Amino acid sequence: MATLPPSPFDRARRNRRTFIAMIGVGLAMLGLGFASVPLYRIFCQQTGFNGTTQRADAGVDVQQATGHTLSIRFDSNVQPGMPWQFHPERPTQTVTVGAKSMAIFVARNMSDRPVTGTASFNVTPTQAGAYFTKIECFCFTQQTLQPGQEVRMPVLYYVDPKILADPDNKDTQEITLSYTFYPVEQGQKAG
């Protein structure tokens, strides 16, 4: 018995199904692309992945690890072309693990016009990010500085005592908290 070649109607129906399936795959990929940024941010905040710090409320009660100190180094940068000076008041602090501490960063608009910026951050070594906890921070908040204006911006933080039991951090003597300020165009939302 001979098989008949597919009819033009069958071929058109298969092509239509393939086209609809490809549109579905494309829309799914587009949706995943939009969802990936917030999902990645949530993942990083929960795990400390890639140097992302943890967050806590001001009323958090943390047990200090008396006799265990770490050096915290502060790094500050501005995107090239942004007319700000930005630096920590003190480039390093020695802190007791578990003790709440505060660092102050200073930003100054060196231009003759208002400039709005927002800061992103990271922690190195990256495995320490899961234990570096910020209580208050200026990061991801738009800051508008008028011409010549200087502001002091606090960061309240602590290093979770659980870092002492983590074998990946057994040699950690210093943690670096680094901020980079980027300009924000008018009408654009930060982070």
Side-chain angles (χ1 to χ4, degrees):
M1 178 191 240
T3 55
L4 298 173
S7 73
F9 177 74
D10 290 337
R11 195 173 312 135
R13 191 169 53 184
R14 273 187 276 144
N15 287 345
R16 190 171 31 254
R17 271 193 252 149
T18 301
F19 178 73
I20 290 171
M22 293 284 92
I23 293 291
V25 168
L27 289 174
M29 290 175 68
L30 182 65
L32 186 58
F34 279 108
S36 65
V37 172
L39 290 174
Y40 181 74
R41 183 175 290 158
I42 290 167
F43 171 76
C44 289
Q45 287 172 348
Q46 294 301 313
T47 64
F49 181 74
N50 206 22
T52 301
T53 62
Q54 304 301 301
R55 292 183 181 164
D57 293 327
V60 68
D61 189 27
V62 183
Q63 185 68 37
Q64 292 186 27
T66 307
H68 296 279
T69 61
L70 287 173
S71 177
I72 308 298
R73 190 174 84 76
F74 303 102
D75 179 53
S76 58
N77 306 282
V78 293
Q79 182 179 20
M82 185 169 184
W84 283 15
Q85 287 181 346
F86 176 56
H87 61 88
E89 278 189 342
R90 292 177 39 204
T92 60
Q93 291 179 350
T94 300
V95 300
T96 299
V97 174
K100 293 178 186 176
S101 301
M102 181 170 63
I104 303 290
F105 285 79
V106 179
R108 181 178 182 88
N109 181 355
M110 304 304 290
S111 75
D112 59 357
R113 61 183 171 77
V115 177
T116 300
T118 187
S120 63
F121 64 90
N122 71 339
V123 169
T124 54
T126 57
Q127 70 270 16
Y131 303 101
F132 194 96
T133 305
K134 291 190 291 184
I135 299 167
E136 183 181 317
C137 179
F138 55 85
C139 48
F140 299 120
T141 303
Q142 290 185 10
Q143 309 286 331
T144 300
L145 301 183
Q146 299 303 314
Q149 181 183 8
E150 181 175 288
V151 295
R152 296 173 76 237
M153 298 176 286
V155 177
L156 268 56
Y157 69 93
Y158 66 90
V159 178
D160 193 318
K162 293 176 187 170
I163 195 170
L164 300 172
D166 183 350
D168 291 335
N169 281 291
K170 67 179 168 65
D171 295 326
T172 300
Q173 301 290 321
E174 179 179 83
I175 297 174
T176 300
L177 176 62
S178 180
Y179 287 97
T180 302
F181 256 103
Y182 299 91
V184 176
E185 299 300 321
Q186 292 298 0
Q188 181 181 354
K189 290 188 177 183

